[in-house]
Amino acid sequence: MAEVGAENKRRLDALRSLVKECSQDSAARHLLVFVVLIQMFFIMSGGNSITYYTPTILKPIGLADDQALLFTTVYGLMKVVSVFLYAFSLTERFGSRPLLLIGSTINVLCLLYLSVFLGVASISGAASPSPAAWVTIVAICIFAIGKVPDHSGREGDDGDLVKAA
C-alpha cells in the first residue's frame, strides 16, 4: 500500500514540475501544446477508424468476408513493416518533419478519395469490385504507409532523433 502512495506522490510531483516548467518557459509550453495538438489531429485523422472498419468498408464494394478479413490482416502487416522502416531507416536519414508532411499529405489524399468514393459510388451488393473499388483498396494500403510518421519520433535542435518519452 505504501508503494502505491509513493508512486502516486511521484506522479503528482512530476505533474507539478511539468506545470511549473510550462508556466515559466514559453518554449516548453509551445512544445507541450504542439505535442497535444499532434496527438489530437492523429486521433481525428481516422487511422483507428480505418483499421477498425476496414472489413465493413470492403464488404459492400464486392469483397467476400474472407477476402475482407485477409486484407485487414495485410493492412495491419503493412503498418507494422512501415513502422520498422520509418523507425530504423527513414527518420534518421530524412528527419521526421519531411516524413510527417509527406505522410499527412498522403493521408489527406487517401481519405479524400475514400470519402468521395463511398459517398458517390453505388456499391451496395456489388458482385465483384469495380476498378474504382480497387483504387479504394490501394488507397487504404497507401494510407497505412502514410500514417506511420505520426509516431516516429521528433528531431532535436541539433537534427538528431530524440525519442519521445
Side-chain angles (χ1 to χ4, degrees):
M1 191 69 166
E3 292 175 10
V4 173
E7 179 68 21
N8 287 339
K9 183 178 181 331
R10 188 184 64 78
R11 289 180 182 175
L12 186 59
D13 289 342
L15 179 63
R16 286 182 184 146
S17 173
L18 175 66
V19 169
K20 182 179 176 184
E21 183 73 25
C22 287
S23 67
Q24 294 174 353
D25 185 11
S26 66
R29 187 173 45 252
H30 291 290
L31 183 62
L32 179 65
V33 168
F34 182 69
V35 167
V36 168
L37 286 175
I38 284 180
Q39 185 61 32
M40 183 179 73
F41 289 133
F42 172 75
I43 291 169
M44 292 171 54
S45 71
N48 295 335
S49 299
I50 294 290
T51 303
Y52 184 77
Y53 290 109
T54 298
T56 307
I57 293 168
L58 295 176
K59 286 178 191 173
I61 65 173
L63 291 182
D65 289 343
D66 57 341
Q67 291 174 323
L69 291 175
L70 178 63
F71 176 78
T72 304
T73 305
V74 170
Y75 173 80
L77 183 63
M78 289 178 67
K79 285 175 72 172
V80 169
V81 169
S82 297
V83 165
F84 283 112
L85 180 67
Y86 279 104
F88 294 119
S89 178
L90 297 177
T91 304
E92 286 289 330
R93 175 178 270 168
F94 300 110
S96 60
R97 182 173 294 145
L99 294 177
L100 184 61
L101 293 174
I102 292 168
S104 298
T105 304
I106 288 170
N107 290 342
V108 166
L109 294 174
C110 289
L111 286 175
L112 181 65
Y113 180 81
L114 182 63
S115 61
V116 168
F117 174 76
L118 292 175
V120 172
S122 175
I123 57 175
S124 60
S128 64
S130 66
W134 284 111
V135 173
T136 301
I137 294 169
V138 170
I140 292 172
C141 292
I142 294 171
F143 181 86
I145 296 168
K147 190 68 182 161
V148 176
D150 292 341
H151 287 300
S152 62
R154 66 172 184 84
E155 284 185 50
D157 294 334
D158 58 354
D160 292 335
L161 182 69
V162 177
K163 295 294 182 193

